[in-house]
Amino acid sequence: MRVSATASASELEEVTIRRRPPHGVEAQNCGPVDFKVPLGDMAEENKPRNILEEIVWYKAVEINRWREKVPLPMLMAAAKASPAPRDFIGAIKAAGERTGKPGLIAEVKKASPSKGVIQPNFDPVKIAQAYERGGAACLSVLTDAKFFQGGFENLTAIRQAGVQCPLLCKEFIVEAYQVFKARASGADAILLIAAVLPNSDMNYLIKAARSVGLQCLIEVHTVAELERMLQLDSLEGCMLGINNRDLQTFKVDLANTKQIMESPAGQEVLKRGLIMAGESGIFTPEDVAYVQAAGCGAILVGESIVKQGDPEAAVKTLLELH
Protein backbone atom coordinates (compact mmCIF):
# COMPACT_ATOMS: atom_id res chain seq x y z
CA MET A 1 0.00 0.00 0.00
CA ARG A 2 1.61 3.22 -1.12
CA VAL A 3 0.19 6.61 -2.02
CA SER A 4 0.76 7.26 -5.69
CA ALA A 5 4.04 9.02 -6.42
CA THR A 6 2.48 11.04 -9.22
CA ALA A 7 -0.01 13.86 -8.84
CA SER A 8 -2.56 15.07 -11.36
CA ALA A 9 -2.89 18.73 -12.28
CA SER A 10 -6.12 18.98 -10.27
CA GLU A 11 -4.39 17.54 -7.19
CA LEU A 12 -1.53 20.01 -7.52
CA GLU A 13 -4.04 22.85 -7.53
CA GLU A 14 -5.53 21.53 -4.27
CA VAL A 15 -2.34 21.68 -2.21
CA THR A 16 0.11 24.46 -1.41
CA ILE A 17 2.98 22.17 -0.40
CA ARG A 18 4.70 20.30 -3.22
CA ARG A 19 5.25 16.64 -2.31
CA ARG A 20 8.73 16.40 -3.85
CA PRO A 21 11.22 18.47 -5.90
CA PRO A 22 9.45 19.24 -9.22
CA HIS A 23 12.50 18.33 -11.30
CA GLY A 24 13.61 15.29 -9.34
CA VAL A 25 16.51 14.80 -6.96
CA GLU A 26 19.73 16.35 -8.20
CA ALA A 27 22.08 13.78 -6.63
CA GLN A 28 21.57 10.01 -6.58
CA ASN A 29 23.70 7.25 -5.09
CA CYS A 30 24.80 4.77 -7.77
CA GLY A 31 26.83 2.11 -6.00
CA PRO A 32 30.11 3.63 -4.84
CA VAL A 33 29.55 6.68 -7.08
CA ASP A 34 27.39 9.73 -6.41
CA PHE A 35 25.66 10.51 -9.70
CA LYS A 36 24.69 14.16 -10.09
CA VAL A 37 22.31 15.62 -12.67
CA PRO A 38 22.97 19.35 -13.17
CA LEU A 39 19.66 21.20 -13.04
CA GLY A 40 20.88 24.52 -14.44
CA ASP A 41 18.08 27.10 -14.58
CA MET A 42 15.73 24.73 -12.79
CA ALA A 43 17.87 24.56 -9.63
CA GLU A 44 16.11 27.47 -7.92
CA GLU A 45 12.66 26.03 -8.61
CA ASN A 46 13.87 22.73 -7.15
CA LYS A 47 14.49 24.25 -3.72
CA PRO A 48 11.84 23.96 -0.97
CA ARG A 49 9.76 27.13 -0.69
CA ASN A 50 9.25 26.89 3.07
CA ILE A 51 10.10 24.69 6.05
CA LEU A 52 7.00 22.48 5.71
CA GLU A 53 7.95 21.68 2.12
CA GLU A 54 11.50 20.86 3.22
CA ILE A 55 10.16 18.52 5.93
CA VAL A 56 7.78 16.78 3.52
CA TRP A 57 10.50 16.28 0.88
CA TYR A 58 12.77 14.63 3.44
CA LYS A 59 10.02 12.17 4.40
CA ALA A 60 10.66 10.22 1.19
CA VAL A 61 14.23 9.58 2.38
CA GLU A 62 13.10 8.57 5.87
CA ILE A 63 10.31 6.26 4.70
CA ASN A 64 12.64 4.43 2.32
CA ARG A 65 15.06 3.80 5.20
CA TRP A 66 12.27 2.55 7.47
CA ARG A 67 10.89 0.30 4.74
CA GLU A 68 14.30 -1.33 4.26
CA LYS A 69 14.43 -2.21 7.97
CA VAL A 70 10.76 -3.15 8.45
CA PRO A 71 8.78 -4.16 5.33
CA LEU A 72 5.19 -2.94 5.14
CA PRO A 73 3.52 -6.37 5.70
CA MET A 74 5.50 -6.82 8.92
CA LEU A 75 4.61 -3.30 10.08
CA MET A 76 0.91 -3.80 9.30
CA ALA A 77 0.92 -7.01 11.34
CA ALA A 78 2.49 -5.15 14.28
CA ALA A 79 -0.08 -2.36 13.97
CA LYS A 80 -3.00 -4.81 13.99
CA ALA A 81 -1.53 -6.69 16.97
CA SER A 82 -1.16 -3.53 19.08
CA PRO A 83 -3.35 -3.00 22.17
CA ALA A 84 -6.79 -1.54 21.42
CA PRO A 85 -6.63 2.20 20.67
CA ARG A 86 -8.16 4.75 23.01
CA ASP A 87 -10.91 7.17 21.98
CA PHE A 88 -8.99 10.38 21.21
CA ILE A 89 -12.01 12.47 20.18
CA GLY A 90 -14.11 11.03 23.02
CA ALA A 91 -11.47 12.10 25.56
CA ILE A 92 -11.58 15.68 24.23
CA LYS A 93 -15.37 15.80 24.47
CA ALA A 94 -15.32 14.34 27.99
CA ALA A 95 -12.75 16.90 29.16
CA GLY A 96 -14.87 19.72 27.75
CA GLU A 97 -17.95 18.47 29.57
CA ARG A 98 -15.97 18.08 32.79
CA THR A 99 -14.22 21.48 32.80
CA GLY A 100 -16.26 23.75 30.53
CA LYS A 101 -13.00 24.47 28.66
CA PRO A 102 -11.75 23.22 25.29
CA GLY A 103 -10.15 19.80 25.63
CA LEU A 104 -6.38 20.27 25.76
CA ILE A 105 -4.08 18.31 23.45
CA ALA A 106 -0.74 18.99 25.16
CA GLU A 107 2.33 18.60 22.98
CA VAL A 108 5.42 16.61 23.95
CA LYS A 109 7.97 18.58 21.98
CA LYS A 110 11.71 19.13 22.39
CA ALA A 111 12.44 21.49 19.50
CA SER A 112 11.07 23.16 16.38
CA PRO A 113 12.65 24.50 13.18
CA SER A 114 11.63 28.08 14.03
CA LYS A 115 12.56 28.12 17.74
CA GLY A 116 15.35 25.55 17.99
CA VAL A 117 15.48 23.62 21.28
CA ILE A 118 12.47 24.60 23.41
CA GLN A 119 13.00 22.22 26.33
CA PRO A 120 16.68 21.29 26.89
CA ASN A 121 15.81 19.00 29.82
CA PHE A 122 13.59 16.86 27.61
CA ASP A 123 12.18 13.70 29.15
CA PRO A 124 9.12 12.70 27.11
CA VAL A 125 7.68 10.34 29.73
CA LYS A 126 8.02 12.80 32.62
CA ILE A 127 6.52 15.61 30.54
CA ALA A 128 3.62 13.38 29.44
CA GLN A 129 2.92 12.30 33.03
CA ALA A 130 2.97 15.93 34.19
CA TYR A 131 0.54 16.95 31.44
CA GLU A 132 -1.81 14.15 32.43
CA ARG A 133 -1.71 15.15 36.12
CA GLY A 134 -2.37 18.76 35.11
CA GLY A 135 -5.59 17.89 33.30
CA ALA A 136 -4.69 17.44 29.61
CA ALA A 137 -7.32 15.48 27.68
CA CYS A 138 -4.88 14.06 25.13
CA LEU A 139 -1.21 14.30 24.21
CA SER A 140 0.48 15.13 20.91
CA VAL A 141 3.89 13.50 20.47
CA LEU A 142 6.33 14.86 17.86
CA THR A 143 7.86 11.98 15.94
CA ASP A 144 9.91 13.90 13.36
CA ALA A 145 13.59 13.39 14.16
CA LYS A 146 15.45 15.70 11.78
CA PHE A 147 13.52 18.94 12.29
CA PHE A 148 11.88 18.51 15.73
CA GLN A 149 14.30 16.12 17.50
CA GLY A 150 11.37 13.77 18.15
CA GLY A 151 10.89 10.08 17.47
CA PHE A 152 8.39 7.24 17.27
CA GLU A 153 10.18 5.70 20.24
CA ASN A 154 8.79 8.55 22.39
CA LEU A 155 5.25 7.42 21.56
CA THR A 156 6.11 3.88 22.62
CA ALA A 157 7.85 4.98 25.83
CA ILE A 158 4.90 7.16 26.89
CA ARG A 159 2.39 4.41 26.16
CA GLN A 160 4.47 1.79 28.01
CA ALA A 161 4.88 4.10 31.02
CA GLY A 162 1.15 3.78 31.72
CA VAL A 163 0.00 7.24 30.61
CA GLN A 164 -3.78 6.95 30.04
CA CYS A 165 -4.31 10.04 27.85
CA PRO A 166 -4.88 9.12 24.20
CA LEU A 167 -1.86 9.89 22.01
CA LEU A 168 -1.69 11.80 18.72
CA CYS A 169 1.22 10.93 16.46
CA LYS A 170 2.44 14.36 15.30
CA GLU A 171 4.09 13.21 12.10
CA PHE A 172 4.14 14.74 8.61
CA ILE A 173 2.25 11.91 6.95
CA VAL A 174 2.46 11.38 3.20
CA GLU A 175 2.23 7.58 2.98
CA ALA A 176 0.24 4.76 4.57
CA TYR A 177 3.52 3.33 5.91
CA GLN A 178 3.62 6.16 8.47
CA VAL A 179 0.02 5.47 9.50
CA PHE A 180 0.84 1.86 10.37
CA LYS A 181 4.11 2.90 12.04
CA ALA A 182 2.13 5.31 14.25
CA ARG A 183 -0.29 2.57 15.31
CA ALA A 184 2.49 0.04 15.91
CA SER A 185 4.25 2.64 18.10
CA GLY A 186 1.21 3.17 20.35
CA ALA A 187 -0.66 6.08 18.77
CA ASP A 188 -4.44 6.45 19.03
CA ALA A 189 -4.73 9.22 16.41
CA ILE A 190 -2.69 10.74 13.59
CA LEU A 191 -2.25 14.20 12.09
CA LEU A 192 -3.11 14.76 8.41
CA ILE A 193 -2.29 18.16 6.86
CA ALA A 194 -4.58 19.58 4.18
CA ALA A 195 -1.82 21.77 2.69
CA VAL A 196 0.17 18.62 1.92
CA LEU A 197 -2.51 16.11 0.91
CA PRO A 198 -4.99 16.37 -1.98
CA ASN A 199 -8.42 14.90 -1.23
CA SER A 200 -7.67 11.62 -3.02
CA ASP A 201 -4.70 11.00 -0.71
CA MET A 202 -6.60 12.28 2.31
CA ASN A 203 -9.46 9.83 1.69
CA TYR A 204 -6.98 7.00 1.22
CA LEU A 205 -5.02 7.77 4.41
CA ILE A 206 -8.20 8.18 6.49
CA LYS A 207 -9.25 4.69 5.32
CA ALA A 208 -5.80 3.31 6.18
CA ALA A 209 -6.09 4.87 9.65
CA ARG A 210 -9.58 3.50 10.13
CA SER A 211 -8.39 0.00 9.20
CA VAL A 212 -6.23 -0.10 12.34
CA GLY A 213 -8.56 1.87 14.63
CA LEU A 214 -6.81 5.24 14.44
CA GLN A 215 -8.71 8.53 14.54
CA CYS A 216 -7.53 11.57 12.55
CA LEU A 217 -6.91 15.23 13.30
CA ILE A 218 -7.12 17.01 9.95
CA GLU A 219 -5.26 20.32 9.97
CA VAL A 220 -6.21 23.33 7.84
CA HIS A 221 -4.68 26.79 7.54
CA THR A 222 -7.27 28.58 5.38
CA VAL A 223 -10.99 28.75 4.60
CA ALA A 224 -10.30 27.16 1.18
CA GLU A 225 -8.62 24.16 2.82
CA LEU A 226 -11.51 23.73 5.24
CA GLU A 227 -14.01 23.86 2.36
CA ARG A 228 -12.03 21.13 0.63
CA MET A 229 -11.87 18.93 3.75
CA LEU A 230 -15.64 19.16 4.19
CA GLN A 231 -15.93 17.51 0.76
CA LEU A 232 -14.09 14.34 1.86
CA ASP A 233 -15.90 11.01 1.48
CA SER A 234 -16.35 10.60 5.23
CA LEU A 235 -15.21 12.44 8.34
CA GLU A 236 -16.26 9.63 10.67
CA GLY A 237 -13.55 9.22 13.30
CA CYS A 238 -12.07 12.60 12.36
CA MET A 239 -11.77 15.99 13.98
CA LEU A 240 -10.41 19.20 12.48
CA GLY A 241 -7.80 21.72 13.54
CA ILE A 242 -6.95 25.27 12.49
CA ASN A 243 -3.24 26.03 12.51
CA ASN A 244 -2.79 29.78 13.01
CA ARG A 245 0.71 29.76 11.58
CA ASP A 246 1.04 31.18 8.06
CA LEU A 247 2.94 28.59 6.00
CA GLN A 248 4.71 31.22 3.90
CA THR A 249 5.79 33.70 6.59
CA PHE A 250 5.54 31.43 9.66
CA LYS A 251 3.88 34.31 11.53
CA VAL A 252 1.15 33.31 13.97
CA ASP A 253 -2.20 35.11 14.11
CA LEU A 254 -4.89 33.84 16.48
CA ALA A 255 -7.48 35.82 14.51
CA ASN A 256 -7.12 33.19 11.78
CA THR A 257 -9.24 30.82 13.90
CA LYS A 258 -12.01 33.41 14.26
CA GLN A 259 -11.96 34.25 10.56
CA ILE A 260 -12.20 30.60 9.50
CA MET A 261 -14.89 29.71 12.05
CA GLU A 262 -17.02 32.71 10.98
CA SER A 263 -16.93 31.56 7.34
CA PRO A 264 -19.75 29.40 5.91
CA ALA A 265 -17.38 26.42 6.07
CA GLY A 266 -16.67 27.13 9.74
CA GLN A 267 -20.38 27.32 10.48
CA GLU A 268 -20.88 24.00 8.68
CA VAL A 269 -18.31 22.43 11.04
CA LEU A 270 -20.47 23.47 13.99
CA LYS A 271 -23.69 22.31 12.32
CA ARG A 272 -22.18 18.90 11.62
CA GLY A 273 -21.04 18.56 15.23
CA LEU A 274 -17.37 18.19 14.29
CA ILE A 275 -14.76 19.03 16.92
CA MET A 276 -12.44 21.86 15.88
CA ALA A 277 -9.08 22.47 17.56
CA GLY A 278 -7.28 25.80 17.71
CA GLU A 279 -3.53 25.33 17.10
CA SER A 280 -0.51 27.65 17.44
CA GLY A 281 -0.42 30.99 19.24
CA ILE A 282 -2.25 29.86 22.40
CA PHE A 283 -0.30 31.09 25.44
CA THR A 284 -2.78 32.46 28.01
CA PRO A 285 -6.24 31.72 29.46
CA GLU A 286 -7.44 34.71 27.40
CA ASP A 287 -6.22 32.99 24.22
CA VAL A 288 -8.09 29.83 25.26
CA ALA A 289 -11.28 31.85 25.81
CA TYR A 290 -10.81 33.56 22.42
CA VAL A 291 -10.66 30.33 20.39
CA GLN A 292 -13.43 28.77 22.50
CA ALA A 293 -15.69 31.73 21.74
CA ALA A 294 -14.88 31.24 18.05
CA GLY A 295 -16.23 27.69 18.25
CA CYS A 296 -13.24 25.50 19.11
CA GLY A 297 -13.92 22.52 21.34
CA ALA A 298 -10.22 21.66 21.59
CA ILE A 299 -6.82 23.35 21.68
CA LEU A 300 -3.41 21.99 20.74
CA VAL A 301 -0.66 23.68 22.75
CA GLY A 302 3.05 22.93 22.76
CA GLU A 303 5.66 25.63 23.20
CA SER A 304 3.95 27.68 25.91
CA ILE A 305 3.63 24.72 28.31
CA VAL A 306 6.52 22.40 27.39
CA LYS A 307 9.12 25.12 28.04
CA GLN A 308 7.91 25.60 31.62
CA GLY A 309 9.84 24.04 34.47
CA ASP A 310 6.59 22.59 35.84
CA PRO A 311 4.40 21.36 32.93
CA GLU A 312 1.66 20.19 35.33
CA ALA A 313 1.27 23.69 36.78
CA ALA A 314 1.50 25.21 33.29
CA VAL A 315 -1.50 23.12 32.13
CA LYS A 316 -3.53 24.06 35.21
CA THR A 317 -2.72 27.75 34.74
CA LEU A 318 -3.61 27.71 31.05
CA LEU A 319 -6.97 26.01 31.72
CA GLU A 320 -7.54 27.88 34.99
CA LEU A 321 -7.97 24.57 36.85
CA HIS A 322 -6.29 25.65 40.11
Side-chain angles (χ1 to χ4, degrees):
M1 292 176 74
R2 188 185 295 192
V3 175
S4 170
T6 58
S8 68
S10 62
E11 285 177 338
L12 290 172
E13 287 170 9
E14 289 180 37
V15 298
T16 55
I17 299 300
R18 299 173 298 174
R19 184 72 61 83
R20 56 194 60 77
H23 304 294
V25 180
E26 187 175 13
Q28 294 278 4
N29 290 329
C30 186
V33 179
D34 282 342
F35 181 68
K36 194 163 186 179
V37 180
L39 293 174
D41 294 341
M42 298 182 293
E44 195 63 33
E45 194 180 335
N46 227 41
K47 292 177 182 176
R49 295 180 294 202
N50 53 52
I51 188 63
L52 182 54
E53 204 161 79
E54 187 177 354
I55 292 167
V56 166
W57 289 6
Y58 189 70
K59 285 298 157 189
V61 177
E62 276 191 321
I63 294 166
N64 284 336
R65 286 177 187 162
W66 295 335
R67 196 180 274 115
E68 285 173 7
K69 291 180 182 176
V70 183
L72 182 58
M74 191 184 299
L75 186 64
M76 288 176 71
K80 288 178 179 177
S82 296
R86 300 180 176 115
D87 184 356
F88 188 88
I89 296 171
I92 289 170
K93 289 179 178 176
E97 289 167 5
R98 190 171 61 248
T99 65
K101 306 277 183 179
L104 171 63
I105 307 166
E107 195 146 85
V108 180
K109 178 180 187 178
K110 180 178 180 178
S112 76
S114 57
K115 301 281 185 179
V117 174
I118 298 165
Q119 178 47 270
N121 302 314
F122 183 73
D123 183 325
V125 170
K126 283 186 179 176
I127 291 168
Q129 290 169 333
Y131 284 161
E132 185 169 57
R133 288 193 305 270
C138 299
L139 306 181
S140 167
V141 182
L142 260 298
T143 52
D144 181 85
K146 182 176 181 180
F147 297 90
F148 290 85
Q149 298 184 38
F152 283 86
E153 66 276 8
N154 293 343
L155 265 176
T156 304
I158 292 167
R159 184 82 185 225
Q160 291 178 346
V163 171
Q164 294 302 304
C165 287
L167 306 178
L168 173 76
C169 175
K170 185 77 172 288
E171 168 71 357
F172 298 85
I173 290 178
V174 293
E175 285 199 29
Y177 190 96
Q178 295 158 287
V179 175
F180 299 122
K181 187 171 176 65
R183 184 72 199 96
S185 301
D188 305 292
I190 55 168
L191 176 74
L192 299 173
I193 303 174
V196 174
L197 300 165
N199 279 28
S200 57
D201 286 358
M202 190 70 79
N203 282 322
Y204 172 76
L205 292 168
I206 290 170
K207 286 175 185 173
R210 220 174 264 146
S211 74
V212 287
L214 286 168
Q215 295 178 333
C216 302
L217 193 168
I218 300 171
E219 180 177 284
V220 304
H221 296 79
T222 64
V223 171
E225 286 180 358
L226 179 56
E227 289 170 346
R228 183 162 62 83
M229 293 303 98
L230 291 172
Q231 295 168 5
L232 290 169
D233 292 346
S234 171
L235 287 172
E236 183 184 347
C238 298
M239 62 177 287
L240 297 156
I242 296 170
N243 193 324
N244 296 304
R245 189 181 298 277
D246 186 297
L247 291 179
Q248 306 308 317
T249 66
F250 257 63
K251 288 182 180 175
V252 175
D253 184 3
L254 211 55
N256 189 47
T257 291
K258 189 169 185 284
Q259 178 194 344
I260 292 176
M261 291 306 291
E262 285 178 346
S263 72
Q267 293 305 297
E268 186 181 338
V269 167
L270 299 178
K271 283 178 193 168
R272 287 169 62 170
L274 295 165
I275 296 287
M276 178 66 84
E279 308 172 33
S280 298
I282 299 170
F283 290 90
T284 66
E286 290 73 30
D287 295 335
V288 175
Y290 180 87
V291 295
Q292 184 175 19
C296 290
I299 49 173
L300 193 154
V301 183
E303 180 190 342
S304 68
I305 52 176
V306 79
K307 69 182 181 183
Q308 303 296 325
D310 186 346
E312 178 184 350
V315 168
K316 288 178 177 175
T317 298
L318 184 68
L319 297 177
E320 297 179 302
L321 297 177
H322 287 292

